[in-house]
Amino acid sequence: MTKNEKLKQWVSEMKKICTPDAVHWCDGSKDEYDRMLEIMLDAGIAMKLDESKRPNSFLFRSDPSDVARVEDRTYVASRKKEDVGPTNNWVEPKELKEKMLKLYNGCMKGRTMYVIPFSMGPIGSPISKIGIEMTDSPYVVANMHIMTRVGTKVLEALGADGEFIPCMHSVGKPLAQGETDNGKWPCAPIEQKYISHFPEENLIWSYGSGYGGNALLGKKCLALRIASVMAKREGWMAEHMLILRLTNPEGRKFHIAAAFPSACGKTNLAMLQPTIKGWKCECIGDDIAWMKIAPDGSLRAINPESGFFGVAPGTSYESNPMAMESIRKNTIFTNCLLTDDNDIWWEGIGVPCKHGVDWKGKEWTPESKEKGAHPNARFTAPARQCPVICPDWENPEGVPIDIFIFGGRRTSVVPLVTESFDWDHGVYLGATAASEATAAALDVKSKLRRDPFAMLPFCAYDMGDYWQHWFDMGDRLGKKAPKIFYVNWFRKDADGKWLWPGFGDNSRVLKWMCDRIEGKAECVETPIGRLPSKTSLDLSGVKVTGKDLEELLKVDVQAWKSELPEIEEFMNQFKDRLPERMKKQFAKMKKQLGG
Ligand code: O2Y
Ligand code: MN
């Protein structure tokens, strides 16, 4: 238990409303983790995988209505609508609370209410924050054990009057006397799901979903949405970024934080295996970075999480061997296919499967019309199991960031890599980041989706104010500001063939960035930024023809110009919150492109 009166009061208040059969304070022990899995095995929700193939690992199948984050059921409640901006679902806080309190009323009947004290970031780090999640889902407890630091040690760090972020969660499925889940994933119908954020009170209320970002409230809700507002208020940064360390043959360490929209291979880049001799890459985090300016003026980053909640389909020994090694044991799988020998399988795992049970529990063969694994099937694995986890990944002081990378999936127009002219230009590159939705057919022109800083679903305040925060951070960092680059691994030729090999060869692009910092690599100035000169990218031992390289580094001024009206329209939605410095960058870009 705790000496923290505020916490005790909140737990007792929510207990009165939700009326659980019991309350359990999580201690974070292995015994507790094992007990959660046992409870779910007994309820028929978890399946134990073959111990010799996948030690201490389990498979879950969620309800087909509960398979991903639900953006249209995600709300940000603040007193003034204009504070959340045009990219968030705004609700008046009192109205939202009244609605949700009706749903919370008696919602935990027949269940246990678990109180999970958790730390985002190493306990005691000056960058970390403490959250308390109350939930009626043992699946959430087990996942939070992997994804965050949980238990008594967090309560000790919280002390009698420490600050915490209250995170309330219920699956929204009370049980009648004697009723059990009996093999059915508990959740509420879609119209009753609410993923609600109250940034003015640092408060999260989630109801009706037991899945991923909707239910593991430390991740997207706390570490990005609530933290984005706290970071603006307190002068730090909460970003949707992987963090990696790249060491050159001379032993100099570079720390890179990179933001990509989904389906751009973020986890693959976080666990990159360089193909260039003498270079080493280590993973610090694959999804979120919290960064603060240290007393020496450098920007120090931590990964607030302690696990990976990765997309399973497409993950293979070819695309990401380090992720495959990370999930060999002690892993929770959700919505993957179950093979006949009690292991997991998914599309793109790199080995065939002849027969199994799909994510909906139906018999599956390669001839089946439906996919074996849900496209958003997930693995939850401890970060410490990653063979290339950086020895400093839990350093409470964080690591000093040298480079920011933004990117997106673009089959044309955007070159392999661009260095920004300066910080403000880099902020413009991040703000205008865009990705193509993968087109179903080659002849269909896929739609471009702007996703500034990959934060569109996660920035819980006006995006214009968020851009201003980036400009302000740049001013405070001054000469110690990281260099900013933009990458595109996905450019294709006229026949639809990838021009860049990707995966481990992306290290060649990262090497160019590090060499630029050291003044060792040449560039050419173009209207959109600085690009590698033809000979400055290390292409030793890689099959990229001179023609392909030319295409990869081509700047089609006309094509860039033709995107300006859409960029202007996108920016103008932020009206008077659009920073003057962003307008200036846009005008500069327009002029440089000759428009
Ligand atoms: O579908 C979900 O609930 C998870 S979303 C997610 C999970 C891990 C890392 N990133 C994301 C994301 O949506 O960016
Ligand atoms: Mn993410």
Side-chain angles (χ1 to χ4, degrees), residues 220 240 266 287 458:
K220 302 299 181 181
H240 191 199
K266 199 168 151 202
D287 196 36
F458 307 119

Side-chain angles (χ1 to χ4, degrees), residues 443-454:
D443 55 339
V444 178
K445 186 129 178 53
S446 47
K447 211 173 141 36
L448 202 58
R449 182 181 189 254
R450 298 260 160 225
D451 187 355
F453 296 77

Side-chain angles (χ1 to χ4, degrees), residues 175-292:
L175 295 168
Q177 186 79 31
E179 186 188 357
T180 68
D181 284 320
N182 198 21
K184 200 170 168 342
W185 174 271
C187 64
I190 186 79
E191 66 282 1
Q192 279 179 22
K193 293 190 206 295
Y194 285 89
I195 322 299
S196 304
H197 308 76
F198 302 86
E200 287 156 347
E201 303 169 62
N202 290 348
L203 173 69
I204 300 162
W205 278 12
S206 168
Y207 182 90
S209 166
Y211 198 87
N214 304 332
L216 313 177
L217 301 185
K219 194 172 182 57
K220 302 299 181 181
C221 297
L222 193 163
L224 286 176
R225 297 199 190 93
I226 292 296
S228 67
V229 182
M230 292 177 92
K232 162 89 172 159
R233 217 186 278 141
E234 298 167 6
W236 52 283
M237 304 170 98
E239 300 298 331
H240 191 199
M241 289 179 170
L242 65 89
I243 313 169
L244 63 84
R245 169 185 286 173
L246 198 60
T247 309
N248 73 11
E250 291 74 46
R252 177 163 172 192
K253 296 178 174 75
F254 298 87
H255 294 98
I256 300 179
F260 297 91
S262 53
C264 289
K266 199 168 151 202
T267 302
N268 297 355
L269 184 64
M271 299 177 190
L272 174 97
Q273 287 302 281
T275 51
I276 25 176
K277 231 177 122 205
W279 288 71
K280 187 168 92 176
C281 186
E282 289 161 317
C283 174
I284 294 165
D286 78 329
D287 196 36
I288 299 172
W290 279 4
M291 293 167 281
K292 259 191 187 164

Side-chain angles (χ1 to χ4, degrees), residues 94 97 129 145 213 423 552 583:
K94 197 163 158 274
K97 280 191 180 166
K129 300 266 179 205
H145 265 239
W423 179 268
L552 279 164
K583 289 185 202 162

